[in-house]
Structure formats: structure tokens, C-alpha cells
Amino acid sequence: MNLLRKIKAEYWLLLAGLLFRVIFVLFLAKPYFGRENIFVDGDTYSFASPFQSLIETGSFTVNPGLEYGYFARMPGYPFFIGIFYLITGQNWENSFRLIAGIQLLLDLLTAWLLFLITLQLFRKRSVALITLAVYITYPFIIVWVPVIYAELLGVNITVIAFWFFVFRNRKNYLYYSGLFLGIGILVRPQCVLILPAFILVLCMDHFRESKLLLKKMLQLMVFMVLIFSVWPLRNYINHKKVIFTQDLRGFYNWNEDALAFLQYIYSVKAEWEPQYSQIIHNQKVVFPKEAYSDRSDSLLLEKAVTLCQNCGSGFSHKTGYWKQPFDYPNCNQEIKEIFSKLRQHQIEKNPLNFYIRIPLQNLQKAIFKSKLNDSASMARKIASLLFYYRTLLILAGLAGVFTVKKAYWKECSDLIIFPCFFLILYLVICAGTSVQLRNIEMRYFLPADILLLIPAGALFSNIIGRWLKRT
């Protein structure tokens, strides 16, 4: 008993975090996901196949039959899971189980680093313990522990880079921060969006020391650039393509026709349904009134929909397509040209809708989402209610930053990282104009959401402290 009493609270919390995750994997994951294989989701093999192709053919590609298959996935996560594929004798089924176990351990490492970061920033053990407690019970990270997706690793590496940055006064720690940031970008490219926040902090710390500021920025950037540049250099040297992240045209179901539709629909509205399903099932497609503001555009839109339903190869590979999938012949280029023209007309004729209303709708959905897309089972209905908890923690995190005493801001410029990273990540995804943005999935926001748990812990600690004083 004496030995148990000597064990610090943070270690008990880590043990509790381990138990929560094991219980979820063993007993709750199947009813939550609604499938027997809790390790495999829709995109799992798109991470596995390029590494397998590299081993078997020497080419890192998702689909060797497509020109852009070489760029459909960035190499970070495929190489990570590929290590365990080799360890298990090139057996994906066995490697997935092993990877889930490794991801569980990495998640506990993330929890520990968040504890250390909070302790360093706020100098209060109570705040660090509350942050740790919130993280180990955070459902939106626990559900990704068994799934072979890049989300959990992306969060883990972002937190590691942040940990090195917080302790940047130690020798070479800025180098390590940049190194892990470079690796993180290759895992999930949105990790790079924390870089402006890091640079802002360095500028705040050394704005009167230009030479020292330049030195610190170079230390942060050098390994990040070296690590990340391997990918675009490979794309240009081997394939003569200037591609910095990924190109979804490497997937059969995301060929030019489907991507052009996606870009168009996100210029009109914040959701792609029901129009997406209506096209796939060969039903009558009705768009919002903004799409019909011009008669010539209305006719072009009807033509584009007909082409999508009958000769768009990307749509033909979508699940539930009304006839057999095909690749050639197709009319993808014509579909792309029509939707691109219609999209440009939307930007010109409805700029308020494109630049303001839709991004605000996306932002509202990103912060205040209240249900899962699939809420058929009881487990999914219960899980949907947890989105209110997520919203509470986001708001608490932002409030925690801005309720810190002004004097403390002078001592800890790192506090600016939390709102800065949050704003940049959310605005880029919600208001960005590239083909892969405006597609709102909660997992894309995980790195910023997780870091906000630190100031949320500070706010909760403050509230609890005041309540205890009153009682």
C-alpha cells in the first residue's frame, strides 16, 4: 500500500488511459464502427498499397495504371505501416494488429508529452494533471487508436515537434522540432500549418535581435525543409511533376470529373449532398437557386450532370454507381471544363456566397458539429452526443488562452501558438479554394483540437480552484 501511495497521479492517469483504450479496442470498437474488422476503414489500403507496390515493383504508387497514382498518398504513413508489414512477413492482416498496438503506445506518449508541455508553460502541476486527464478520456482520439489511418500518428508527431519547440532553449531542440515537423508534413500535410505560429513566437521573442532571430528560424527550418523536400524532389526528378503534397487523381474514383464536381459544388454550397448521391444513382439532380441565376449556366449544369451520370469514369467507380464502372472511353475532360467554367461564374456572380457565407457555414460545422453522418446504431447515436463535448473543449481552449493574466503573456509567448494554429488550420480547411479543401471531416482538425486541450486544462483548473475557495 505504501508503494501505491508513492506512485504519482500522472502515472495513475496514464494507466487509466491505457485501460480506456484497451476497453475500447476489445469491447466498444465493433459496435461503434459497425463492422467486424476494426482496423480497416475505407482509406486503409490506400495507405498500404503504395508501400506494397514499392516492395514488389520498385514503384511507390497507389494505382500503377493511373498517371497520378504515384502522388495519391504522401510517404509518411505508408512507410510507417510498411515497417510492420515487413516485420510480420509481409502480412497486412497481422501487421494491422501490431500497428494498432504501436499506435496505442504512441497515443500514451502523446498524453505524457502534453503533460510535460503544460507543466512547462503554466508551471502548475494541477493544470498539467487536468490536461492529462482530459486527453486520456478524449473520445475523438481514442476512436483512432485501432484504425490504420494517419490521424493518430499525425497528432503524435505534431505534439513531439511542439514539445521540442517549447523546450527550445535546450541545445539543438529547435533542430529536432523542425525535423519532426518535416516528418509530420509527410504524414499529414496540415501539420505544416503550425509553422507560422512557431515563427510568430520566435519573432515575439527576438524582434529586437535580428541576427539571433534569423539563426533561430534557420535552426527550425533547416531539417524541416530537408526532410519534406525529399517528396517534391522525387516527384519532379522521377516523374517531371511539380507536386508538393498529393494529387487525388491517383484514385480511380477521384478522377478529373469527380474532382471538378467537388470544386463546383463547394463554390455553391457547404455540402456535397444530396447532389453527389443523386448523380451516382442516376436521379434528378437539383441544385440551390444560386446555381440557376443565369439561364446559360443552368443549361451547362444540366449537361454536366448528364455527362457525370453516363460517361464520367471517376463517378463510375463510386460505391453505389447505377451501372458498371469503366475507365475508357470517358468524357472527364469535358466535365472538368464545364464545371470549371461554372465555378468561375459562381465566384464572379456570387462572391459573397463563395468567400463569406460558405466558409462561415463550414466553420460553424467544423466547430459545432452535433452528429455523425451514420447514426443508425445506438452506439453511433450516443457517440454523436459527444460532439457537444468536443465543442465545449474547443471553446474552453480558446477561452483558456484569453483569460490568462496579461502579465503571464509577457513571460510565455508560446501561448499565442494555440489560437494561431487553430485559426490557420480551421480557416485554411473551411475557406481554402483548392480541390482538397472545404471538405469538412473532423479528423482533419485533430492536431489543433488536441493542442487546445492545454489551455482548456488551465481554464478548468482556474474554475475548480475558485470553486474550492468558495466552498
Side-chain angles (χ1 to χ4, degrees):
M1 289 297 292
N2 289 333
L3 179 62
L4 292 177
R5 289 173 184 171
K6 290 180 180 179
I7 298 176
K8 293 182 178 180
E10 53 265 35
Y11 299 127
W12 285 117
L13 286 172
L14 285 174
L15 179 60
L18 172 62
L19 290 176
F20 292 151
R21 283 149 180 76
V22 170
I23 289 170
F24 175 78
V25 171
L26 294 181
F27 304 108
L28 301 177
K30 286 183 181 179
Y32 173 78
F33 292 119
R35 59 176 188 260
E36 281 297 311
N37 192 339
I38 63 173
F39 309 108
V40 176
D41 209 335
D43 288 339
T44 294
Y45 281 102
S46 72
F47 290 108
S49 60
F51 187 86
Q52 183 174 344
S53 174
L54 180 66
I55 296 299
E56 295 176 356
T57 69
S59 295
F60 183 87
T61 176
V62 171
N63 291 308
L66 291 177
E67 178 185 2
Y68 289 91
Y70 299 97
F71 325 106
R73 284 294 178 203
M74 296 185 74
Y77 195 66
F79 272 83
F80 170 76
I81 64 175
I83 293 170
F84 303 100
Y85 175 65
L86 296 178
I87 290 173
T88 56
Q90 300 186 22
N91 183 306
W92 281 121
E93 186 175 343
N94 291 337
S95 66
F96 289 165
R97 292 189 176 89
L98 178 57
I99 293 164
I102 298 299
Q103 290 187 164
L104 189 154
L105 295 177
L106 288 175
D107 194 34
L108 294 178
L109 172 62
T110 299
W112 179 246
L113 292 177
L114 287 173
F115 173 81
L116 296 178
I117 292 168
T118 309
L119 198 58
Q120 172 69 12
L121 294 180
F122 290 94
R123 307 291 183 179
K124 290 184 179 179
R125 193 162 175 272
S126 60
V127 177
L129 287 173
I130 291 173
T131 299
L132 178 57
V134 173
Y135 182 80
I136 64 167
T137 57
Y138 191 59
F140 297 98
I141 197 69
I142 294 175
V143 297
W144 291 110
V145 166
V147 182
I148 310 305
Y149 266 30
E151 266 55 50
L152 194 140
L153 183 63
V155 168
N156 176 258
I157 293 178
T158 303
V159 171
I160 292 174
F162 186 38
W163 179 75
F164 278 116
F165 186 82
V166 166
F167 290 90
R168 59 188 173 278
N169 290 330
R170 297 183 183 180
K171 187 177 180 181
N172 297 329
Y173 269 37
L174 272 179
Y175 289 113
Y176 296 138
S177 181
L179 184 147
F180 277 97
L181 194 55
I183 297 171
I185 297 168
L186 295 179
V187 173
R188 273 299 188 203
Q190 64 261 41
C191 292
V192 74
L193 298 177
I194 200 172
L195 179 62
F198 285 176
I199 292 175
L200 178 59
V201 170
L202 292 179
C203 291
M204 291 169 65
D205 288 348
H206 308 288
F207 69 97
R208 292 179 179 175
E209 307 165 287
S210 57
K211 289 185 178 179
L212 182 58
L213 173 60
L214 181 60
K215 178 183 176 182
K216 295 287 185 180
M217 290 177 63
L218 287 174
Q219 288 176 348
L220 177 64
M221 299 284 289
V222 60
F223 283 118
M224 188 203 77
V225 173
L226 286 174
I227 294 292
F228 168 69
S229 64
V230 171
W231 176 244
L233 284 175
R234 169 261 190 188
N235 297 338
Y236 183 75
I237 293 171
N238 291 357
H239 304 283
K240 308 304 178 188
K241 302 283 187 183
V242 180
I243 297 174
F244 288 95
T245 54
Q246 64 185 116
D247 196 309
L248 294 180
R249 287 176 291 181
F251 297 105
Y252 283 101
N253 62 340
W254 283 116
N255 217 315
E256 290 182 331
D257 57 324
L259 288 177
F261 163 78
L262 194 66
Q263 278 221 298
Y264 170 71
I265 198 68
Y266 285 148
S267 72
V268 178
K269 57 198 287 281
E271 301 276 358
W272 65 354
E273 291 288 10
Q275 291 77 19
Y276 170 79
S277 294
Q278 289 168 346
I279 289 175
I280 291 173
H281 298 129
N282 200 32
Q283 299 170 348
K284 180 176 176 59
V285 184
V286 179
F287 291 86
K289 64 180 188 306
E290 289 84 2
Y292 303 111
S293 57
D294 184 279
R295 178 173 172 76
S296 59
D297 281 3
S298 301
L299 295 174
L300 272 178
L301 187 55
E302 285 192 27
K303 180 180 180 180
V305 167
T306 301
L307 292 175
C308 288
Q309 291 174 329
N310 291 278
C311 56
S313 71
F315 278 104
S316 81
H317 284 278
K318 298 290 187 181
T319 302
Y321 184 66
W322 68 286
K323 58 182 180 179
Q324 291 297 313
F326 58 88
D327 294 315
Y328 299 100
N330 63 59
C331 56
N332 294 350
Q333 187 60 36
E334 185 177 3
I335 293 171
K336 178 184 176 182
E337 290 173 358
I338 293 174
F339 275 132
S340 297
K341 183 177 181 179
L342 291 172
R343 181 177 186 273
Q344 188 58 39
H345 288 175
Q346 281 296 316
I347 295 172
E348 293 170 356
K349 297 175 183 177
N350 300 306
L352 183 66
N353 186 55
F354 181 82
Y355 289 111
I356 305 296
R357 191 176 295 124
I358 294 174
L360 287 177
Q361 290 172 356
N362 285 336
L363 195 60
Q364 180 184 22
K365 180 168 58 173
I367 299 175
F368 298 101
K369 180 173 179 174
S370 59
K371 64 179 181 179
L372 291 164
N373 294 330
D374 171 21
S375 300
S377 68
M378 181 58 65
R380 300 289 281 184
K381 288 177 181 177
I382 294 172
S384 292
L385 298 175
L386 293 173
F387 278 103
Y388 294 106
Y389 178 56
R390 173 182 176 269
T391 299
L392 171 65
L393 290 178
I394 289 174
L395 298 178
L398 294 173
V401 172
F402 294 109
T403 54
V404 171
K405 294 179 180 178
K406 292 181 179 180
Y408 189 73
W409 277 89
K410 296 179 180 179
E411 300 175 15
C412 189
S413 56
D414 292 33
L415 292 176
I416 198 65
I417 291 173
F418 302 110
C420 186
F421 184 36
F422 169 82
L423 286 173
I424 293 172
L425 179 59
Y426 272 70
L427 289 177
V428 165
I429 293 177
C430 294
T433 58
S434 80
V435 70
Q436 292 170 252
L437 301 176
R438 299 197 177 194
N439 184 24
I440 307 301
E441 291 195 40
M442 296 303 106
R443 58 195 175 102
Y444 298 157
F445 303 106
L446 267 175
D449 291 355
I450 294 303
L451 291 188
L452 277 180
L453 298 183
I454 295 174
L459 179 69
F460 295 149
S461 177
N462 189 29
I463 293 172
I464 293 170
R466 290 185 178 184
W467 179 77
L468 289 175
K469 285 182 181 179
R470 289 179 181 178
T471 56

